[in-house]
Amino acid sequence: MGEFGDIEKKGVTGEDASAVPEGASSPQTCACESDEVGSCEDDAVLRAEQEHLSETYATLDALARSTYEELLRIDAEAAADKIALSEELSVNLETYADAMETYADFAAMNRVIDGHNTARASRAARLSDLRLLLKQPYFAKIALQYKPGQEPKEFYLGAAGVSDDDYRRIVVDWRSPIAEVYYNQANGPTSYEANGRTINVDLKLRRQFDIEGPVLNAYFDTTVAIQDALLLASLSKQRSARMQAITATIQKEQNAVVRHEDVPALLVNGIAGSGKTSVLLQRIAYLFYRRRDDLDPSEVVLVTPNPVFRAYIADVLPDMGESNPQTITWDEFAREHLSANHGGGSLDVPLETLWRIDEALEGFEFTDGDFRDVTCAGVRIVGAGQIHRLSEKHRRAAAGPHRVTLMREDLLKRVESRIAQMAGGEDVQDEMASLSIDEQLRLFGEIVDPQDEREARALAMTYLKLKFADAYAAVEHDDWLRIDRIGMRLLGAKSLAPVTWLYLRMALTGAGDASVKYVMIDEVQDYTAAQIAVLGRYYKRAHFMLLGDKNQAIDEGGATFEEIDEVMERLHGRVSRCHLMTSYRSSPEITELFASLLPADERMRISSVQREQVPTRVLAYDDEDEYARDLRAEVADARAQVDERGGTCAVIVPWKSEAKRIAALLGESAPELVGDASALPDAGVVMIPLKLAKGLEFDRVIIPDASARLFPENELSRNRLYTTISRATRQVTVMSRGPMSGLLA
C-alpha cells in the first residue's frame, strides 16, 4: 500500500501531468505498460465507462429536449386556456346567487391556472437539473452488494438526481442516503440510513471520474481515499475570484458535518484551510435537498464576514443548482435593527449583562417615562400619556412581548383614527388643492378631481396615510418605547451599548424573525458573545450552524467556543460539536509554518493532504533599501508568475493604514487595493487588509512586513499571523522591515 492507500490509476488525456501533485492518482497517467501518456486502447474498463457515459449523455440530452418541448406546450396551453376562460367568464354581481356563480367561475379559472403553474414549475426544475448534469453527468460510481453471492448493483452519483421516462434511475443525487457510502471512503461492509431503516451493504467498487460533458478524461478506483485523486487534482488548480463547489471531493470528516443530524445548534471547529466555508455551503445544499418540500431559500440566513467574502461564495450554490439564501453581514443587520442614535459603540458586552436583562424583565412593569410621543411631519399623532393608559388597560398581561403586541395593535388603530379625524379638516383639503400635477401623479398615480365629499375624504385619507407613513412604521417598530431609559433603569447603567439595546428590545417586545429555519454563521470567532446572543435571540426558532477557528480570532473581544456554547444552550438548547483538523488548502510547507504558531498539542493534530511544492521564505532586513528593493522584486515576480500561469496572489497587510505605507514604498508597481465594495479579479495580484482576506485563499501570499513592531509576541498577533499565512495555497513569502516578529524568529 502506498502513502495514500491503494489507488488504481487510469487515464486517457495527454495534458501536462505536473498539474497533479506527486503521488496522487493522476488523470494524466495511463495504466497500461506503455510509457506514453494518452489514450490506452487496451483498457476495457475505460472503453466500457466511456460507452456508458455516451449513452447517459445522449439520454440526458434527449430528456432535456423533451422537457423543454413540454414547457413550451404547457405555456401554450396555459395561454389558450386563459383566453378561453376569460372570454367565457362574465361578471354578474346583481344578486347573491349571481355573485356566488361568478366567484365559482373565478375559482375554477384559478384552479386551471394553478394546475398549469404547478406543471410548469415541475418541468422547469427538471430542466434545470438536466442542464446541470449535461456539464458533468456524474463524478463517481459505486457498486453495492446487498446480499452475499448477489450481483452488485451499480449507481452513478452526480450533482443532481434524474430518472428517465420509465422511472429508471440514471443518476443518483450526491445528497441521497445511498451516496453516503461513497463519502465514507472505504470499501467493504458498510451501511446507510434510508426511510428510518439501516441498510447493510458491501461496497465492492468506489470509482471516481474526471468528466467534461460527454468526454471521460480519466477514472480512478480507490480503496482508501483519505487523500483521493480527484481531491488532489482539484487542489492543484489555480485559485480564482470565486469559490468552487466540492461536491465530488467531499472528504469523510467534511461529510460528517454536511450530513450531520438536524440539531438546534451545530458548532464546527476547523483549522485554517479545512474547508469550513465549503462544508457550510454543501450543508445548505444538503438541507435544501432533504427538506425540498418545506424549506425555501428565504428561510435560511447566512451571516458572512464582509461583502468581499459574500461575492467570493456567490456562485457556489447556483452552480449546484440551488438558490442562494439570504446573505447578510453584521453591519447590515445592525443598520436595519438599530435606531439612528445607536450606530456606534462597543460590541463586546459581557454575557452576564444580557442575562441580567432576562432576569430583570421577569418582574418588570412600565412606568410613566417609558413611553414617547408618536410624531410625524411635526404633528403629534399619539401622546405618551395615551400610550401609558393603553399599558394600564392591558395590565393583566405581563409587561413584555404579549402586552407590547396588544398595545401595538391598539396604537395602530389610534393612528388610523387620528388620520381619519384629520382627513375631514379643511386644512387637509386646502393642502391637497395646492398639490402640483407632478405631486398628484406621484402620490395618486393620476390627476385627482373629487366629485363629492365622500370621494374627497377618501382621497384625503390616502394622502394622509402617505404623508404619515412614518407614524405607522414607528408604531410597528416600537419606537414609542424608550428602550434606553428602560434599560438604564433595569441595569443601573448611564447608557446602553448597541448590542445591549438590541437584546433588550428583542427581549421586551418579542422582535425577531420566526420564519427563518436555519442561520449559518461563518468565521464565528470574529463575533463577540453578545453579537451571537443578539442573533440567537432574533432568529428564535432557527437551528444554528456556527463555524470558526479560535486561532483566527484577529480582533479583541471575539467569543470563545465556551461562550458560544453558553449562548446557544441558553437560547436554543443542545449544542453538537464537530472538528475539521485536515488542511486541504495549503501545501505541507505552508501548513507547517502556520501550525508552528500553535501550541504543541494542537500542532500535532494538524495535517495537510497536499504534496510538497515551494519552500516557504521568511526574510528579515536590517537595510531599508535592500528591503524595499526585494519587496518590489517579490511583487514583480508574483505578477510575472500570474501572467504566465494565471491564478491569484495577495499582498496581505494587517490593516488599511499599513496598506498605504506599502503602496507608497512600491510606487507604480503597487497592486490594486481591495476595499469593502471591491470585487476580486479572476486572476492577478492585489493588496488586501487581513480583515477582508478572512475566508479567502490565494495561490501565493506575500506578507510585506511581519516585524516585531507590527506583530509583537502576544495572542492577537499570533492569530493574525496564523490567519495571514494560511491564506496561501502554494507559496508564501514573509518579509520583515527590521527584526522579525519573535513569533516566527
Side-chain angles (χ1 to χ4, degrees), residues 500-666:
T500 308
W501 189 94
L502 275 173
Y503 191 87
L504 172 58
R505 178 174 178 264
M506 293 168 191
L508 181 63
T509 69
D513 192 339
S515 69
V516 171
K517 296 176 181 177
Y518 293 96
V519 175
M520 314 298 195
I521 305 178
D522 203 5
E523 304 290 349
V524 70
Q525 75 283 339
D526 289 341
Y527 298 86
T528 68
Q531 285 176 290
I532 296 169
V534 166
L535 292 169
R537 186 105 201 188
Y538 187 77
Y539 299 109
K540 46 196 168 187
R541 295 186 182 176
H543 282 190
F544 275 70
M545 182 180 185
L546 311 102
L547 305 94
D549 177 2
K550 65 179 182 180
N551 297 307
Q552 293 189 62
I554 63 173
D555 295 314
E556 296 281 4
T560 66
F561 275 42
E562 289 70 30
E563 287 175 324
I564 296 169
D565 274 340
E566 180 184 344
V567 170
M568 287 292 115
E569 284 180 5
R570 184 179 181 105
L571 298 177
H572 289 271
R574 180 172 63 94
V575 179
S576 298
R577 280 207 189 194
C578 289
H579 299 271
L580 299 171
M581 300 305 296
T582 304
S583 174
Y584 303 99
R585 174 190 299 144
S586 303
S587 69
E589 297 89 348
I590 297 170
T591 302
E592 182 180 1
L593 181 59
F594 71 69
S596 70
L597 295 162
L598 305 180
D601 59 331
E602 291 186 50
R603 194 185 313 153
M604 294 295 293
R605 297 168 59 197
I606 294 175
S607 62
S608 170
V609 306
Q610 293 208 44
R611 304 297 293 166
E612 290 77 10
Q613 297 204 15
V614 180
T616 58
R617 298 166 67 218
V618 182
L619 309 168
Y621 295 84
D622 294 325
D623 185 275
E624 186 81 22
D625 292 337
E626 184 185 7
Y627 164 76
R629 184 180 64 251
D630 282 7
L631 178 58
R632 293 190 192 101
E634 188 74 19
V635 173
D637 181 70
R639 192 169 274 121
Q641 188 181 71
V642 167
D643 289 342
E644 179 185 352
R645 304 180 190 175
T648 58
C649 172
V651 180
I652 303 179
V653 293
W655 39 77
K656 200 170 181 178
S657 59
E658 186 65 12
K660 294 179 180 178
R661 189 186 71 80
I662 297 297
L665 188 66
L666 293 172

Side-chain angles (χ1 to χ4, degrees), residues 90-108:
S90 63
V91 180
N92 185 355
L93 305 176
E94 290 186 8
T95 67
Y96 175 79
D98 292 334
M100 290 298 100
E101 187 174 344
T102 298
Y103 293 142
D105 290 342
F106 274 116

Side-chain angles (χ1 to χ4, degrees), residues 233-483:
S234 173
L235 295 176
S236 72
K237 295 178 180 178
Q238 303 285 357
R239 291 326 193 250
S240 71
R242 295 289 186 268
M243 177 179 279
Q244 304 298 312
I246 61 168
T247 306
T249 59
I250 297 171
Q251 300 301 288
K252 189 173 183 178
E253 66 173 2
Q254 296 173 326
N255 184 57
V257 179
V258 172
R259 296 173 183 263
H260 198 283
E261 65 175 316
D262 200 357
V263 292
L266 177 60
L267 179 58
V268 181
N269 179 22
I271 67 163
S274 59
K276 293 185 295 294
T277 303
S278 294
V279 166
L280 181 155
L281 295 169
Q282 299 288 155
R283 170 79 170 170
I284 293 174
Y286 177 76
L287 290 170
F288 282 154
Y289 173 81
R290 296 302 299 269
R291 299 190 59 176
R292 50 192 177 278
D293 294 330
D294 67 343
L295 183 62
D296 188 86
S298 64
E299 297 171 329
V300 180
V301 172
L302 173 55
V303 186
T304 64
N306 53 67
V308 176
F309 186 78
R310 173 164 55 202
Y312 178 62
I313 65 173
D315 295 338
V316 177
L317 284 166
D319 286 348
M320 288 193 281
E322 301 290 355
S323 300
N324 279 321
Q326 298 185 61
T327 308
I328 62 170
T329 65
W330 168 263
D331 289 343
E332 290 166 346
F333 175 87
R335 280 198 299 272
E336 182 179 351
H337 298 287
L338 281 170
S339 63
N341 58 333
H342 282 93
S346 174
L347 299 173
D348 187 13
V349 172
L351 284 175
E352 290 73 20
T353 299
L354 306 187
W355 303 158
R356 279 174 58 200
I357 288 173
D358 289 330
E359 294 164 3
L361 286 177
E362 290 180 6
F364 171 74
E365 185 51 68
F366 290 117
T367 66
D368 244 352
D370 291 341
F371 309 106
R372 62 164 59 92
D373 297 342
V374 177
T375 62
C376 185
V379 178
R380 186 172 71 172
I381 307 299
V382 184
Q386 292 175 286
I387 300 174
H388 185 237
R389 287 192 290 275
L390 284 178
S391 177
E392 293 296 309
K393 170 187 170 184
H394 297 293
R395 196 177 179 88
R396 299 178 76 177
H402 186 199
R403 191 190 299 185
V404 169
T405 299
L406 295 172
M407 293 174 66
R408 191 186 302 123
E409 292 171 354
D410 279 356
L411 277 171
L412 287 171
K413 294 175 184 176
R414 291 287 180 99
V415 172
E416 188 81 7
S417 175
R418 178 79 168 95
I419 287 175
Q421 183 185 11
M422 294 167 65
E426 292 183 4
D427 291 345
V428 175
Q429 298 298 329
D430 292 342
E431 200 173 315
M432 289 179 60
S434 66
L435 293 173
S436 68
I437 291 175
D438 287 344
E439 288 173 323
Q440 291 181 54
L441 291 172
R442 179 177 59 83
L443 292 170
F444 306 109
E446 61 181 350
I447 299 172
V448 297
D449 183 22
Q451 299 300 305
D452 53 40
E453 185 177 339
R454 178 174 162 276
E455 191 174 336
R457 189 178 182 86
L459 285 169
M461 281 293 293
T462 300
Y463 171 69
L464 290 175
K465 284 183 177 182
L466 291 169
K467 181 179 179 178
F468 295 109
D470 286 348
Y472 289 94
V475 173
E476 291 282 7
H477 297 154
D478 303 319
D479 293 341
W480 43 275
L481 282 170
R482 297 178 65 183
I483 302 294

Side-chain angles (χ1 to χ4, degrees), residues 102-146:
T102 298
Y103 293 142
D105 290 342
F106 274 116
M109 181 176 174
N110 288 335
R111 283 195 295 272
V112 171
I113 294 171
D114 288 343
H116 286 305
N117 289 339
T118 300
R120 195 186 197 287
S122 172
R123 300 304 191 282
R126 180 174 173 84
L127 185 59
S128 177
D129 286 345
L130 288 164
R131 284 173 172 169
L132 181 64
L133 292 176
L134 284 171
K135 297 177 183 177
Q136 184 189 45
Y138 44 80
F139 58 81
K141 171 185 176 179
I142 54 176
L144 303 181
Q145 187 181 61
Y146 285 85

